[in-house]
Amino acid sequence: MDDALIPEGAKRCAFPIFMIGIIIVGAVLLWGVYAMFLCWFKGLNQTNMNDYYGFALWIWADLAVIAVGGGAFFTGLLKYIFKVDDLKNIINFAVIIGFICYSSALLILAIDIGQPLRGWFIFWHANVHSMLTEVAFCLSCYFAVLTIEFIPNILENRQVNKVPFFHHLAHNMHGVMAVFAATGAFLSFFHQGSLGGVAGVMFGRPFAYREGLLIWPWTFFLFTWSAAAFGPCFTLLVTKITEMITGKKLVGDKTVNLLAKISGWMITTYIIAKIIDTIYWAFVTAPSMGFKLGHFYSNNGFYGYWILITEVILCGVVPGLLLINKSTRENPATRTIAIILGVIGVCLNRWVMVLQIMAVPVLSFDTWALYIPSWQEVATTILPVAYGIILIAVAYRYLPVFPQELELNESADTAAQN
């Protein structure tokens, strides 16, 4: 039914089967949209946010998708600026994932501000003393960059590319993509860092507060570093999931192992810096403010030392070591374990730096404030996941996302025909 739109030579499932999948995921998306409109029309009383939790599940999801979406800017930087040419086989998919992550982040913020019609206030009435103003500007600008980077792939659709204007436009955009990759890396450095800086400058929250360099707390640099380190893990994980669902090899092992190796070294160097920062905070910064380490990990039913050990050791040290070691990196099973742990690790870090900060008591008469999100918060957080699945499905079906697909699956397709 839609064969004319499918990339030439590519094999896709029957259109009715494709539509059944879209309808199932679309139902989840509509559930999220319903919850979103409840929040917009009835207000933020639909959530379980309160005076303790002005930042809650949405802001964690926002920071998490921005972190894992870092694979787009880092892969683009490697491909177009540092000329790591082998990454051409995965750069299209990295851009799509980044586009999904950043559009999802903006959608979550549109829900979180409560009155989206006043969303333009942050640009027109900018608070120049707030790191979040810089985040808003850089997020919006980088989303525009990702859109520009995504356009050539759309124009390469089998039918669209037959139009001479679109064909030449796509070709010319590829020629200047290095400019947008450099711009994206510049913008990403600052908004990733400022998201960490927001926590690091909170003097009234000793769990988050860090010293730093000039005006930037150490969390500024750690957030940027972690996004560049763990973002490629998410790109590889989504690629692996897509291969499992489609039953096809989409990216060659050489490219996968190269990106995994780079990610492994980035994770290892990041986690060393993270451990140094944690030790200094635990034994110097926090005690200077009158708090012992145990204060942040005891006397509550959820936040114990386990969360620190899981983030730093299990989901930091372990994936780093697995990915820098050639034998474990080139083993599909251990490589997959490593990238899953890495993605969990960076998401857990963002959880800690958003929600545990709010939970820790800071006054002598205060107690731990634990929080359970409402179903509306959960539904609107799942909404971007459903949207992302649909966009990836449509892009995979109709766009030449993976340059190696035909080559890698040629023998299997020939065997099936015989």
Side-chain angles (χ1 to χ4, degrees), residues 183-206:
T183 304
F186 174 80
L187 293 169
S188 293
F189 176 84
F190 284 100
H191 74 249
Q192 296 280 2
S194 289
L195 287 170
V198 168
V201 299
M202 293 172 67
F203 188 84
R205 296 284 181 175

Side-chain angles (χ1 to χ4, degrees), residues 22-280:
I22 294 296
I23 290 169
I24 292 171
V25 180
V28 178
L29 184 141
L30 290 176
W31 178 54
V33 170
Y34 171 67
M36 177 179 71
F37 280 109
L38 282 179
C39 294
W40 279 349
F41 284 99
K42 293 192 174 182
L44 296 181
N45 61 5
Q46 297 295 296
T47 76
N48 284 342
M49 292 189 290
N50 52 42
D51 291 341
Y52 282 99
Y53 286 93
F55 283 179
L57 184 69
W58 285 334
I59 297 301
W60 163 75
D62 205 59
L63 266 65
V65 296
I66 290 172
V68 296
F73 89 82
F74 189 60
T75 308
L77 182 70
L78 293 171
K79 165 67 176 69
Y80 294 108
I81 306 303
F82 292 104
K83 305 299 181 183
V84 184
D85 195 53
D86 282 337
L87 296 180
K88 67 179 183 291
N89 300 316
I90 201 170
I91 186 64
N92 289 340
F93 202 44
V95 167
I96 292 172
I97 293 170
F99 179 88
I100 291 168
C101 288
Y102 277 80
S103 56
S104 297
L106 292 172
L107 174 63
I108 292 168
L109 287 176
I111 303 170
D112 194 28
I113 60 175
Q115 296 190 43
L117 293 178
R118 296 186 179 183
W120 59 275
F121 275 36
I122 196 169
F123 302 102
W124 193 254
H125 303 290
N127 177 4
V128 295
H129 303 290
S130 172
M131 285 187 178
L132 289 178
T133 299
E134 184 267 337
V135 169
F137 275 86
C138 284
L139 266 181
S140 304
C141 291
Y142 184 50
F143 176 64
V145 169
L146 283 168
T147 303
I148 293 170
E149 292 180 336
F150 190 15
I151 287 173
N153 200 214
I154 296 173
L155 297 179
E156 288 170 344
N157 171 267
R158 187 174 174 181
Q159 296 302 317
V160 175
N161 201 240
K162 290 180 179 179
V163 180
F165 173 77
F166 293 141
H167 173 80
H168 294 300
L169 178 61
H171 176 77
N172 290 330
M173 288 184 74
H174 278 301
V176 297
M177 204 51 68
V179 175
F180 296 106
T183 304
F186 174 80
L187 293 169
S188 293
F189 176 84
F190 284 100
H191 74 249
Q192 296 280 2
S194 289
L195 287 170
V198 168
V201 299
M202 293 172 67
F203 188 84
R205 296 284 181 175
F207 180 77
Y209 179 73
R210 297 294 192 276
E211 298 174 35
L213 176 66
L214 300 177
I215 63 172
W216 298 287
W218 297 125
T219 48
F220 179 98
F221 304 101
L222 289 173
F223 263 52
T224 301
W225 204 337
S226 61
F230 294 104
C233 285
F234 187 67
T235 301
L236 291 172
L237 178 60
V238 178
T239 302
K240 181 67 176 178
I241 293 171
T242 306
E243 288 181 335
M244 292 172 63
I245 293 172
T246 60
K248 294 184 177 183
K249 184 74 174 172
L250 300 175
V251 181
D253 288 337
K254 183 180 178 182
T255 301
V256 170
N257 287 326
L258 174 62
L259 190 57
K261 180 181 179 180
I262 295 170
S263 179
W265 281 108
M266 289 293 292
I267 291 171
T268 301
T269 52
Y270 159 75
I271 211 65
I272 291 171
K274 172 69 177 176
I275 290 171
I276 293 171
D277 171 74
T278 302
I279 291 173
Y280 187 85

